[in-house]
């Protein structure tokens, strides 16, 4: 949403109506994808006063990571929401792998 300023196709408005019927909102406030990623990672760490130990992928830093089935920087902006998570890692341990039916422990 931050990049396209379009509601996700399956979003619902507060009144239950289909948000897909809603036009783009404040399109002039769209931000580039690299900014959105930085704001959600480094920005969140900074907002939580944890920028010394989380927020970037660097040796010695704690990280939870997802692997997507497509590179969001290589697909069209309106297709970013179609990227699927294929693996989730928390604290260096795989806790979800789409090739397996159950969460990993």
């Amino acid at each position: 949403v931050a990049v396209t300023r379009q509601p996700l196709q399956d979003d619902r408005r507060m009144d239950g109506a289909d948000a897909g019927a809603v036009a783009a909102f404040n399109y002039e406030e769209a931000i580039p994808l690299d900014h959105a990623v930085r704001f959600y990672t480094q920005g969140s760490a900074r907002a939580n006063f944890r920028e010394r130990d989380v927020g970037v992928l660097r040796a010695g830093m704690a990280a939870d990571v997802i692997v997507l089935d497509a590179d969001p920087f290589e697909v069209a902006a309106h297709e970013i929401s179609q990227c699927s998570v294929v693996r989730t890692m928390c604290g260096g341990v795989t806790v979800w792998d789409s090739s397996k039916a159950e969460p990993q422990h």
Side-chain angles (χ1 to χ4, degrees), residues 3-79:
V3 175
T4 65
R5 302 305 296 160
Q6 294 284 333
L8 298 176
Q9 193 164 0
D10 59 353
D11 273 357
R12 297 282 173 195
R13 297 187 329 199
M14 293 293 282
D15 61 8
D18 182 5
V22 178
F25 40 92
N26 300 330
Y27 185 75
E28 65 280 358
E29 294 179 7
I31 61 174
L33 180 58
D34 61 324
H35 291 188
V37 170
R38 188 171 345 112
F39 296 156
Y40 279 103
T41 55
Q42 289 176 292
S44 294
R46 186 170 191 183
N48 286 290
F49 305 101
R50 297 203 50 210
E51 62 267 34
R52 291 185 175 155
D53 60 331
V54 300
V56 295
L57 293 176
R58 184 179 308 142
M61 303 283 277
D64 296 339
V65 179
I66 62 168
V67 178
L68 301 174
D69 65 349
D71 181 346
F73 291 94
E74 296 296 324
V75 301
H78 68 277
E79 295 175 348

Side-chain angles (χ1 to χ4, degrees), residues 74-95:
E74 296 296 324
V75 301
H78 68 277
E79 295 175 348
I80 293 171
S81 66
Q82 303 304 311
C83 294
S84 296
V85 176
V86 295
R87 178 173 292 152
T88 302
M89 298 179 70
C90 294
V93 176
T94 297
V95 296

